[in-house]
Amino acid sequence: YWLNKKRMNGMDTSKKMTSKVVGVILFSTILMNLPVLSFAEKCPQTRKTQTTPKEFLTMQNPLPLNEKNLKSAEKLFQEKAKPIACKSCHGVTGNGEGDPDFESTPSARNFTCAATMNKLPDGQLFWIIKNGSKNTSMFAFSDLSDHQIWQLVHYIRAFRK
């Protein structure tokens, strides 16, 4: 009796230990892959939005990339743009994760995704900011001057990683 009890206790302990090890390995595997899974969904972003008029696709930002333009654009992006500050949808860091109460299908553009942003011409970004993007939550910012929009193009490109 004593020998059987000892074997059973030993097996129980062994099973418990194996179960814990398997659990830790499984948890670690899931935890390590979460950032990869999350990032894979956000970059690159595929879009099927309206086509920008051809004359905009060849436009290049006429403003110099300098501290003055970036600071002015930062104020617009983070606070002053109307009808809503850009950060509300695109996030403070431009990662497409804005206000948690903001819902958008498709999700807001992730400006940190170089794979996506490098493919978008300056003129296309200008046109979308000015006119909005049909079938998305992107507003038209038609009250902004062309100068301010070009500043924003520089600013959102600065988020690329």
Side-chain angles (χ1 to χ4, degrees), residues 4-159:
N4 279 343
K5 188 174 182 185
K6 189 172 184 179
R7 271 192 207 146
M8 287 180 70
N9 283 342
M11 281 180 27
D12 287 343
T13 302
S14 176
K15 284 181 183 178
K16 287 178 186 176
M17 181 61 92
T18 301
S19 177
K20 286 181 182 178
V21 168
V22 169
V24 167
I25 291 170
L26 184 60
F27 178 75
S28 297
T29 302
I30 291 170
L31 192 60
M32 287 183 341
N33 285 308
L34 276 179
V36 173
L37 294 173
S38 175
F39 184 72
E41 293 174 4
K42 296 177 188 169
C43 183
Q45 289 178 302
T46 55
R47 288 287 196 270
K48 292 185 177 161
T49 53
Q50 69 190 85
T51 305
T52 302
K54 287 182 184 179
E55 62 269 21
F56 284 87
L57 293 177
T58 57
M59 292 173 72
Q60 292 187 340
N61 196 330
L63 301 181
L65 176 58
N66 59 33
E67 192 68 26
K68 180 183 175 195
N69 283 324
L70 288 173
K71 285 287 184 194
S72 295
E74 180 180 25
K75 280 210 176 286
L76 288 168
F77 188 93
Q78 301 293 344
E79 304 168 25
K80 301 212 181 262
K82 300 292 179 206
I84 187 172
C86 308
K87 74 172 183 181
S88 301
C89 305
H90 295 283
V92 172
T93 62
N95 64 359
E97 297 178 15
D99 185 327
D101 293 333
F102 170 74
E103 292 182 27
S104 177
T105 303
S107 59
R109 176 71 72 195
N110 175 2
F111 299 135
T112 66
C113 180
T116 298
M117 295 303 295
N118 290 342
K119 294 177 185 176
L120 299 174
D122 287 350
Q124 183 173 349
L125 295 172
F126 176 92
W127 191 83
I128 290 170
I129 293 168
K130 184 91 169 165
N131 299 291
S133 186
K134 191 176 181 181
N135 299 321
T136 74
S137 298
M138 177 62 188
F139 298 98
F141 286 82
S142 52
D143 289 344
L144 294 177
S145 70
D146 288 358
H147 187 84
Q148 289 172 312
I149 294 173
W150 284 123
Q151 288 175 324
L152 281 169
V153 170
H154 275 318
Y155 186 74
I156 64 176
R157 286 207 182 279
F159 287 121

